[in-house]
Amino acid sequence: MVRAAILPAVGAPLEIRDIVLPEPGPGQVRVRLAAAGVCHSDLSLTDGTMRVPVPAVLGHEGAGTVLAVGEGVSHVSPGDGVVLNWAPSCGECHHCRIGEVWLCAKALTGVGAVHAHDADGNELHPGLNVAAFAEETVVAANCVLPAPAGIPLAEAALLGCAVLTGYGAVHHNARVRPGESVAVFGVGGVGLAALQAARIAGAGPIVAVDVSPAKEELARAAGATEFVLASDTTAKQIRGLTGGQGADVAVECVGRAATIRTAWESTRRGGRTTVVGIGGKDQQVAFHALEIFHFARTLGGCVYGNSDPARDLPVIAEHVRAGRLDLGSLVTDRITLDGIPAAFDAMVAGKGGRSLVVF
């Protein structure tokens, strides 16, 4: 029996209670969690923006220690530190074959599996494959990657989503070049990672945009050279901070139609907007044909930062060890499992950066 955060149904309150985990079968790994980050994607599962089978154990950004491995698992052993990979690539589908592993067609096939049972014997699913909101979890072997050396496991949890996504959005999707101006919309966990990534890329100026004035200190610590409080004049203000042209790159980490539109308008002619935030189907963004032609801007989606975790974790880890990327500064609240509902409320209210469940 281990404690876990369970979503009993879409729209229902999260429940913290005991579950019964099986021993790892062939090709599986049992992990004791050190920490798990509370991500907006978890919130999107609770309200139905993203749909997975329920009831489910939520949590997808985590790291911990291997307790046991099933038959056929050889890349990790009991006692090893690991980072959970919620979107493992199959290596066989069309996207994997052409190198777009972040779009793997089979990445989320595991969400329909039976992950565990509650105390009454009811089946539970793993929300996004790895069920990290629990003291322990059992996952497929391709859902664990060796934790980078020299990084505390609790902070390594952030590598599993926020950092891969924010870093990848800047370096892989937007491909920010030294000297380019960047505007990051939304100073949450992913936005803070994107700001640090922009600084690492040599961007400047780096403009952070958020609805909360309390986020300015966090944004500047992460690398923002300017801070803009979101309003009807945001795009105009960003043009004023970038020589009247607009930013070369905008990274949208909110997932709202109005924010996406503003991010696009904030870029120069020929500028690039990367949308990281996950919005609902009701968030409709409109453009007219003439402005698309005239401004020649590009607007693109971004899944998991267009990252290949096996390739990118060692690169990001080196930035961490060298002091160029500060994982601890992304975390504004360290909580227990019981604190997750309040962390969701804070997220909705636009407060803080990343909340980290520490076991």
Side-chain angles (χ1 to χ4, degrees):
M1 298 280 279
V2 299
R3 294 185 78 231
I6 298 170
L7 177 66
V10 173
L14 214 61
E15 298 178 359
I16 313 300
R17 47 194 170 94
D18 289 337
I19 65 171
V20 181
L21 273 179
E23 290 303 313
Q28 292 185 320
V29 179
R30 184 165 183 144
V31 178
R32 177 187 293 120
L33 272 296
V38 182
C39 179
H40 201 280
S41 295
D42 298 306
L43 182 62
S44 295
L45 294 179
T46 69
D47 64 18
T49 299
M50 297 171 64
R51 289 194 174 272
V52 294
V54 290
V57 179
L58 299 188
H60 64 281
E61 178 184 271
T65 303
V66 175
L67 293 177
V69 300
E71 181 182 351
V73 178
S74 59
H75 72 296
V76 293
S77 302
D80 289 349
V82 293
V83 174
L84 299 181
N85 176 16
W86 65 270
S89 56
C90 70
E92 299 174 350
C93 71
H94 170 73
H95 289 290
C96 287
R97 289 198 304 270
I98 64 174
E100 297 176 347
V101 298
W102 53 92
L103 298 179
C104 175
K106 300 180 180 179
L108 293 180
T109 55
V111 301
V114 176
H115 171 71
H117 293 81
D118 65 16
D120 296 323
N122 299 308
E123 294 180 345
L124 301 171
H125 303 284
L128 283 176
N129 278 329
V130 297
F133 286 168
E135 294 168 330
E136 297 178 14
T137 188
V138 175
V139 299
N142 61 355
C143 286
V144 297
L145 295 165
I151 299 176
L153 273 181
E155 293 186 357
L158 302 168
L159 298 174
C161 185
V163 176
L164 275 172
T165 301
Y167 180 91
V170 169
H171 288 267
H172 301 323
N173 190 288
R175 298 181 181 178
V176 173
R177 298 181 290 268
E180 288 193 311
S181 54
V182 174
V184 176
F185 289 74
V187 185
V190 174
L192 288 169
L195 287 169
Q196 292 203 47
R199 176 173 45 75
I200 290 170
I206 301 172
V207 185
V209 182
D210 201 274
V211 297
S212 171
K215 296 287 187 76
E216 181 171 1
E217 184 177 351
L218 280 173
R220 291 189 181 277
T225 59
E226 311 289 344
F227 181 83
V228 171
L229 194 62
S231 70
D232 293 340
T233 63
T234 295
K236 182 179 180 180
Q237 291 183 71
I238 291 175
R239 285 193 293 274
L241 293 169
T242 53
Q245 298 299 312
D248 294 299
V249 170
V251 180
E252 199 275 357
C253 303
V254 180
R256 295 190 184 130
T259 314
I260 294 170
R261 174 76 204 196
T262 301
W264 187 81
E265 291 176 353
S266 298
T267 62
R268 63 172 175 82
R269 289 187 75 185
R272 314 185 298 281
T273 298
T274 290
V275 178
V276 180
I278 301 173
K281 294 180 180 179
D282 61 324
Q283 297 294 312
Q284 300 289 318
V285 188
F287 306 91
H288 62 71
L290 182 59
E291 65 181 331
I292 292 175
F293 161 78
H294 174 74
F295 288 108
R297 296 164 173 152
T298 58
L299 175 71
C302 179
V303 176
Y304 208 4
N306 289 18
S307 294
D308 178 349
R311 174 199 66 195
D312 293 327
L313 278 184
V315 175
I316 293 173
E318 185 53 37
H319 286 308
V320 175
R321 287 190 290 263
R324 293 184 290 268
L325 199 157
D326 182 2
L327 296 177
S329 67
L330 305 182
V331 180
T332 53
D333 297 279
R334 293 176 184 261
I335 61 175
T336 65
L337 280 173
D338 298 287
I340 295 175
F344 282 164
D345 291 340
M347 198 179 297
V348 172
K351 297 179 180 178
R354 204 45 141 210
S355 292
L356 189 67
V357 180
V358 180
F359 296 94

